[in-house]
Amino acid sequence: MKAMSVVYILFVMIAAGCERKTEKKEETAATTVTPVSDESFKPVIELPPPNEKESAVKYSHVIGWPEGETPDVIAGLTVTKFATGLRSPRNIYVAPNGDIFVALANTESKGLSKVKDAISGKDDSQHSGKSLNQIYLLRDADGDGKPEIQTPYLTGLNQPFGMLVLDNYFYVANTDAVWRYPYQEKNTHVTAAGQKITDLPAGGYNNHWTRNLLASKDASKIYISVGSASNVAEHGIDEEISRANILQMNPDGSDKVVYASGLRNPVGMDWAPGTDELWTVVNERDELGDNLVPDYLTHVVHDGFYGWPYAYIGSHPDPRIKAEDQKPELIQRTIVPDLPLDSHSSSMGLVFYDQKKLPQKFQGGAFITQHGSWNRSSFTGYKILFVPFRNGKLAGPAEDFVTGFIADEAKGDVYGRPVAVAITKEGNLLITDDASDTIWMVR
């Protein structure tokens, strides 16, 4: 058993004073959440002042997984390797027929400032060379957790991330555009030419290069997540046109509009089971100290504004925005997110569990992946969270679900870094670990 060192910075205070505990394979079970009745769980949010503690830079050093080692999961479940040797498996998508598509792409270092290089990959916390820019097909037809087919499905892309099968098309969200290709479910690679259906903003700092895709429940619309071009619009707001938003368009790319704005980097998106409510998990801003600003999970209101860059977690103004550049009217209507998460944890993946294979506790709840911090004196993230929902409503605080990615915090060593999460047709979870070139299965 490897040593585990997990530091929690708690922003969500439960009235009863419940304390979350580190879970280990052989000795602990999941944290119990007090049920709610008619009303959803509403956390009390306490924020420190900006720069209460000087902003830190602490990169992780990825050492890879020793032979036989796996992440830790709560009692009663197991973690196994589903696939290895895929360079930087970033996002994962399960098609309606059960085929598993993986976007192989990474951040590319652009020789920026020291702090920005830390995010862009000029360190050994993640892949930072030329992105592979491929989509792989993994086909596990018998559902035994060992794919019979692993093959390149689509190549020659530009930092692909979002994937979607809709109306006999396979959609791909590159960092600069959405493309679609004729889709036949039995094919193991794309044979027909693609069509670019809409451009997307890219370039600049562009650490937030990921563009995710999600279809509406009636398949009439497609939603696209687009992160900001900077930390806090330090290059001017004109560089942020159409960014820090969730966009909406028709499946042919027409009628593209901003669905919700002020979302610094809304990577993961999904629909709460049994509802028509869109949810997203947001990677918030850096360099305001160890404990600001919390990442968060929130439902998404059409035409809603969530603060970036002018404010955070409601109407808390960002002190770095000059007075003449502030927008008081936007600050006043900033929506408070439903559930703050640990600051700088790089919360990225989101999926609601809409199947029955996992225990009852998890059905209808949300799983969130946290890629892990660089802008904090102690590590946060590097794990997968579970958030309970009941009848489509938030029912409690986030709980640790999969941990063990941190090998030795004193040395800065981590085994890997989780990015995205998806559900197989059998009801198991798949987790991409881009830093260690691994896809994990939880069942």
Side-chain angles (χ1 to χ4, degrees):
M1 173 63 68
K2 57 185 173 282
M4 298 180 63
S5 177
V6 182
V7 179
Y8 296 100
I9 302 299
L10 187 59
F11 291 100
V12 181
M13 307 287 290
I14 309 172
C18 179
E19 180 184 357
R20 295 181 287 174
K21 299 183 183 294
T22 302
E23 293 145 341
K24 298 188 177 181
K25 290 179 181 175
E26 68 269 30
E27 61 189 41
T28 52
T31 304
T32 301
V33 177
T34 303
V36 295
S37 52
D38 296 332
E39 294 186 2
S40 60
F41 172 81
K42 299 184 185 303
V44 175
I45 304 171
E46 294 184 350
L47 300 176
N51 301 306
E52 180 184 45
K53 185 172 183 178
E54 183 178 359
S55 186
V57 174
K58 182 177 180 178
Y59 316 147
S60 58
H61 167 59
V62 177
I63 62 173
W65 292 89
E67 185 64 31
E69 278 286 4
T70 70
D72 300 326
V73 70
I74 66 165
L77 302 177
T78 61
V79 180
T80 57
K81 285 183 178 179
F82 182 75
T84 59
L86 298 175
R87 188 178 189 276
S88 192
R90 193 78 175 184
N91 196 22
I92 194 163
Y93 171 76
V94 179
N97 72 335
D99 278 350
I100 297 157
F101 294 96
V102 184
L104 306 181
N106 57 262
T107 301
E108 296 179 349
S109 178
K110 298 183 173 73
L112 305 170
S113 69
K114 180 179 178 181
V115 171
K116 296 304 186 292
D117 273 338
I119 321 169
S120 298
K122 201 172 183 180
D123 62 89
D124 58 2
S125 68
Q126 58 186 326
H127 292 295
S128 60
K130 176 64 178 174
S131 180
L132 192 58
N133 295 334
Q134 296 182 1
I135 290 175
Y136 249 65
L137 166 66
L138 306 180
R139 182 170 289 167
D140 180 18
D142 59 8
D144 67 350
K146 298 176 182 179
E148 301 85 33
I149 295 175
Q150 299 187 50
T151 185
Y153 182 77
L154 187 57
T155 61
L157 303 171
N158 184 16
Q159 288 183 298
F161 190 85
M163 298 162 285
L164 179 65
V165 171
L166 185 66
D167 295 335
N168 297 315
Y169 285 103
F170 184 81
Y171 288 80
V172 178
N174 289 323
T175 192
D176 59 353
V178 177
W179 289 68
R180 69 179 183 182
Y181 304 80
Y183 172 74
Q184 293 183 333
E185 67 175 29
K186 292 184 178 180
N187 288 357
T188 57
H189 62 279
V190 171
T191 58
Q195 173 193 14
K196 183 170 72 171
I197 60 172
T198 191
D199 289 313
L200 297 174
Y205 159 58
N206 201 35
N207 174 57
H208 304 149
W209 55 267
T210 57
R211 311 285 179 257
N212 206 1
L213 296 175
L214 180 70
S216 63
K217 298 183 76 172
D218 65 0
S220 67
K221 299 290 182 181
I222 294 176
Y223 296 84
I224 313 166
S225 65
V226 181
S228 66
S230 63
N231 180 32
V232 63
E234 59 267 24
H235 305 305
I237 202 66
D238 289 344
E239 295 291 320
E240 304 294 344
I241 294 173
S242 294
R243 301 192 69 152
N245 297 324
I246 292 177
L247 307 176
Q248 180 196 69
M249 68 178 184
N250 294 329
D252 64 359
S254 62
D255 294 334
K256 185 172 67 179
V257 297
V258 174
Y259 183 80
S261 60
L263 298 154
R264 180 177 176 267
N265 193 23
V267 182
M269 298 183 293
D270 203 2
W271 302 99
T275 76
D276 293 320
E277 196 165 69
L278 177 64
W279 285 72
T280 189
V281 63
V282 176
N283 179 203
E284 251 290 356
R285 69 202 76 191
D286 297 312
E287 301 177 327
L288 281 179
D290 263 10
N291 302 328
L292 283 179
V293 170
D295 289 358
Y296 58 83
L297 172 69
T298 193
H299 76 290
V300 181
V301 177
H302 186 205
D303 291 329
F305 179 72
Y306 290 81
W308 192 90
Y310 307 105
Y312 55 86
I313 313 296
S315 56
H316 295 85
D318 192 301
R320 295 164 294 189
I321 305 296
K322 297 178 181 178
E324 60 269 25
D325 295 329
Q326 275 289 14
K327 303 289 185 184
E329 69 283 1
L330 286 178
I331 292 177
Q332 289 304 310
R333 70 181 186 92
T334 296
I335 296 171
V336 178
D338 293 271
L339 184 65
L341 306 169
D342 285 347
S343 298
H344 311 298
S345 55
S346 191
S347 303
M348 297 183 70
L350 171 66
V351 68
F352 281 95
Y353 192 77
D354 59 358
Q355 297 197 42
K356 302 295 184 182
K357 187 165 188 178
L358 292 184
Q360 176 69 35
K361 168 188 175 70
F362 302 107
Q363 294 171 23
F367 292 98
I368 296 171
T369 56
Q370 296 187 316
H371 202 218
S373 62
W374 67 267
N375 186 215
R376 203 165 180 283
S377 57
S378 298
F379 286 154
T380 49
Y382 301 97
K383 59 187 173 182
I384 291 85
L385 302 174
F386 170 71
V387 180
F389 275 67
R390 187 168 293 104
N391 299 321
K393 299 295 184 181
L394 183 67
E399 311 169 29
D400 286 356
F401 181 71
V402 177
T403 58
F405 287 84
I406 298 173
D408 188 333
E409 181 167 357
K411 294 180 180 179
D413 291 347
V414 300
Y415 295 112
R417 303 182 70 187
V419 181
V421 61
I423 304 170
T424 70
K425 66 178 181 180
E426 295 81 22
N428 301 315
L429 294 185
L430 293 175
I431 300 163
T432 60
D433 179 349
D434 67 335
S436 73
D437 300 337
T438 304
I439 298 174
W440 301 102
M441 173 176 277
V442 178
R443 55 184 174 178

